[in-house]
């Protein structure tokens, strides 16, 4: 891989502002797993679906298999501590101690005061480079409060 090209792309992408989410699921042994993500986007409204790009080295990756359920918790601008915890600044086993997490009707961790929680089921997985593109069929949507998303750009929260 051309490291100058990779570095250039990384530098270019720092200029793209993105909303921050926490993807949460249950591991095969039932434990809560989650990761911060800015690579989340709607895919289609018919059928309702979204995609999440997940590095294969992350702890949640093994929990995202065909048919697995997961939540995309869209963070509000008051969730910097949650984003930092799930972004790798805290040990995996301590992350769900930051913020108000409770199991939803599917038994998945959901952030109580998230801007929105989108419940999905893994429909397709596409491997590309170091990541897996996880396509989730939307099964449930909960929206709360005013639109005040947490935005990440150039290595910091806005």
């Amino acid at each position: 891989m051309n490291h100058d090209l990779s570095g250039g792309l990384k530098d270019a992408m720092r200029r793209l502002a993105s909303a921050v989410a926490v993807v949460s699921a249950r591991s095969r042994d039932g434990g809560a797993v989650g990761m911060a993500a800015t690579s989340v986007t709607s895919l289609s409204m018919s059928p309702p679906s979204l995609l999440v790009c997940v590095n294969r080295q992350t702890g949640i990756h093994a929990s995202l298999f065909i048919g697995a359920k997961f939540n995309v918790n869209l963070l509000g601008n008051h969730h910097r501590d949650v984003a930092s915890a799930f972004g790798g600044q805290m040990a995996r086993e301590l992350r769900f101690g930051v913020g108000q997490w409770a199991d939803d009707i599917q038994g998945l961790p959901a952030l109580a005061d998230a801007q929105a929680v989108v419940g999905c089921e893994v429909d397709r997985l596409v491997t590309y480079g170091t990541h897996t593109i996880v396509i989730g069929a939307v099964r449930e949507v909960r929206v709360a409060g005013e639109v005040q998303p947490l935005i990440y750009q150039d290595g910091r929260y806005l």
Side-chain angles (χ1 to χ4, degrees):
M1 177 179 268
N2 182 335
H3 292 290
D4 292 333
L5 190 56
S6 296
L9 178 59
K10 184 176 181 178
D11 193 37
M13 296 309 293
R14 290 178 71 92
R15 287 151 173 77
L16 179 65
S18 300
V20 184
V22 170
V23 179
S24 60
R26 290 276 169 206
S27 65
R28 292 182 191 257
D29 68 5
V33 291
M35 66 166 226
T38 55
S39 56
V40 175
T41 191
S42 61
L43 179 59
S44 173
M45 294 304 130
S46 182
S49 54
L50 55 73
L51 66 81
V52 180
C53 298
V54 180
N55 189 307
R56 291 196 308 273
Q57 300 298 315
T58 62
I60 195 173
H61 188 270
S63 301
L64 299 173
F65 50 88
I66 299 293
K69 293 179 176 40
F70 66 96
N71 281 333
V72 175
N73 302 272
L74 302 179
L75 303 187
N77 58 15
H78 62 286
H79 287 126
R80 291 175 188 224
D81 57 341
V82 175
S84 294
F86 284 86
Q89 293 186 3
M90 184 172 283
R92 289 179 185 158
E93 61 274 5
L94 301 176
R95 293 177 183 175
F96 286 96
V98 179
Q100 298 174 338
W101 294 91
D103 285 353
D104 65 9
I105 196 164
Q106 299 287 328
L108 299 175
L111 185 60
D113 61 343
Q115 290 272 285
V117 179
V118 182
C120 297
E121 182 176 322
V122 177
D123 186 48
R124 298 219 174 109
L125 300 168
V126 179
T127 301
Y128 193 89
T130 57
H131 285 63
T132 297
I133 301 163
V134 178
I135 297 174
V138 175
R139 301 295 186 221
E140 177 185 10
V141 178
R142 294 186 312 273
V143 178
E146 296 179 33
V147 177
Q148 296 179 333
L150 179 61
I151 303 296
Y152 187 77
Q153 180 186 21
D154 196 23
R156 65 183 182 273
Y157 300 111
L158 304 179

